[in-house]
Amino acid sequence: MVRGDLFWGLQGALDRRGLGPVAGVDEAGAGACAGPLVVAACVLKQGDAKLTELTDSKLMTAKARDRVYDLVLKRAVDYSVIVIPTAEVDLYGIRVMNLEGMRRAAAALRVHPGYILTDGFRVPGLTAPNTAVIKGDRSVASIAAASVLAKVTRDRIMAGHHDDFPHYGFDVHKGYSTSDHLAALREHGPSDVHRWSYTNVATVAVKHGVRPTRPVLLTYAALEKAMEAGTTATLSAALDEALEPQLSLPLHAPAAGVGHNERSAGGAAARSRGGARIS
């Protein structure tokens, strides 16, 4: 891990040691309970004086983000933006797809990076040597640029979903669990835009007596809720007891038990790790 105020300095140090070009990678939407996960990678020219407004996308106004977004598109040496749909998040779990999305974004760059900087945590399996930077979107220019690309892309997608589902207010909260969003979710139940693998969405779905139209991998928290609600000893029986009375089809738990999501999407698909699959 790297700490500190290194906005252009870290990239410059890597470039001087022959480890460039340096790519920054960041995501938007991991904490939301609705909408896609968006991951971006970006390579900037060292010390670009035109990017004076560039910082963590969460610290900028919407208008400032739009300005910086357009500027990054014009001035970046290279960039990529990966949109992971809600169905894929539900199928493999957010942790798996967050890591996989960062791999995809780095691999999609046309300019092969000599070094990759990721925001917050290490990402195994990247295409170049890499380092995780704590609060990298505030301290590394290329990560900040990636955060802007991801955030603006996702916000525009969520604003588009508002046209189809205006009662949820996606244009305002962008799928995050605000009080207004949760109130609308409780009133109307989940839509196809929602992440049915998330505990709050799954719980509301049960109360409304509806089930997803796609395969879903329940989170640990959702499994624990089901176990608490059930009186039987086995995970599969607890799920059926807790949820079956209000759903048309039973839920099935993996025979091997539940593990943490730490594999690529392909590995998760093969082992069903990280939760119980709704089939």
Side-chain angles (χ1 to χ4, degrees):
M1 294 285 186
V2 176
R3 300 174 186 268
D5 186 10
L6 306 168
F7 201 64
W8 290 103
L10 181 54
Q11 176 178 323
L14 292 168
D15 282 337
R16 288 192 297 274
R17 286 160 176 78
L19 295 173
V22 177
V25 182
D26 200 7
E27 55 77 23
C33 67
L37 174 70
V38 179
V39 188
C42 190
V43 179
L44 297 177
K45 182 179 178 182
Q46 170 63 19
D48 192 333
K50 296 289 185 179
L51 297 174
T52 55
E53 286 188 279
L54 180 60
T55 186
D56 176 5
S57 62
K58 296 185 291 296
L59 301 179
M60 304 167 69
T61 65
K63 288 184 177 180
R65 278 196 301 269
D66 284 340
R67 286 196 302 271
V68 174
Y69 174 89
D70 291 338
L71 199 56
V72 168
L73 293 186
K74 291 178 183 178
R75 301 192 63 81
V77 175
D78 195 12
Y79 67 90
S80 66
V81 179
I82 303 296
V83 178
I84 298 173
T86 310
E88 200 168 357
V89 172
D90 276 344
L91 181 61
Y92 298 120
I94 187 62
R95 172 65 173 168
V96 167
M97 294 318 303
N98 205 352
L99 294 172
E100 191 73 6
M102 291 191 173
R103 296 184 194 107
R104 292 179 188 178
L109 291 169
R110 293 163 296 179
V111 174
H112 184 73
Y115 209 92
I116 299 173
L117 301 173
T118 58
D119 182 35
F121 54 86
R122 287 192 65 255
V123 181
L126 289 174
T127 56
N130 55 91
T131 296
V133 184
I134 295 174
K135 295 186 178 179
D137 45 9
R138 301 187 187 188
S139 58
V140 175
S142 58
I143 295 178
S147 79
V148 170
L149 295 180
K151 172 69 173 167
V152 172
T153 298
R154 189 178 186 281
D155 282 358
R156 292 176 179 179
I157 291 172
M158 296 308 295
H161 285 315
H162 175 73
D163 296 336
D164 298 321
F165 304 96
H167 44 283
Y168 291 109
F170 288 138
D171 59 329
V172 177
H173 53 68
K174 307 302 190 293
Y176 287 91
S177 297
T178 65
S179 57
D180 287 345
H181 183 194
L182 295 180
L185 181 61
R186 287 190 295 269
E187 179 180 355
H188 301 288
S191 69
D192 282 343
V193 178
H194 284 91
R195 297 176 184 174
W196 291 66
S197 56
Y198 278 43
T199 304
N200 56 347
V201 179
T203 302
V204 169
V206 170
K207 291 179 179 178
H208 279 259
V210 295
R211 67 176 297 113
T213 58
R214 55 180 180 263
V216 170
L217 196 67
L218 290 178
T219 64
Y220 252 139
L223 290 172
E224 289 171 354
K225 255 191 176 315
M227 289 291 283
E228 290 170 3
T231 59
T232 50
T234 68
L235 179 60
S236 181
L239 283 167
D240 285 341
E241 181 176 313
L243 303 177
E244 172 65 8
Q246 298 187 61
L247 301 179
S248 58
L249 294 174
L251 306 181
H252 300 286
V258 181
H260 290 287
N261 283 331
E262 293 295 345
R263 296 181 180 272
S264 68
R271 289 179 169 80
S272 253
R273 292 174 63 89
R277 191 174 301 287
I278 301 177
S279 55

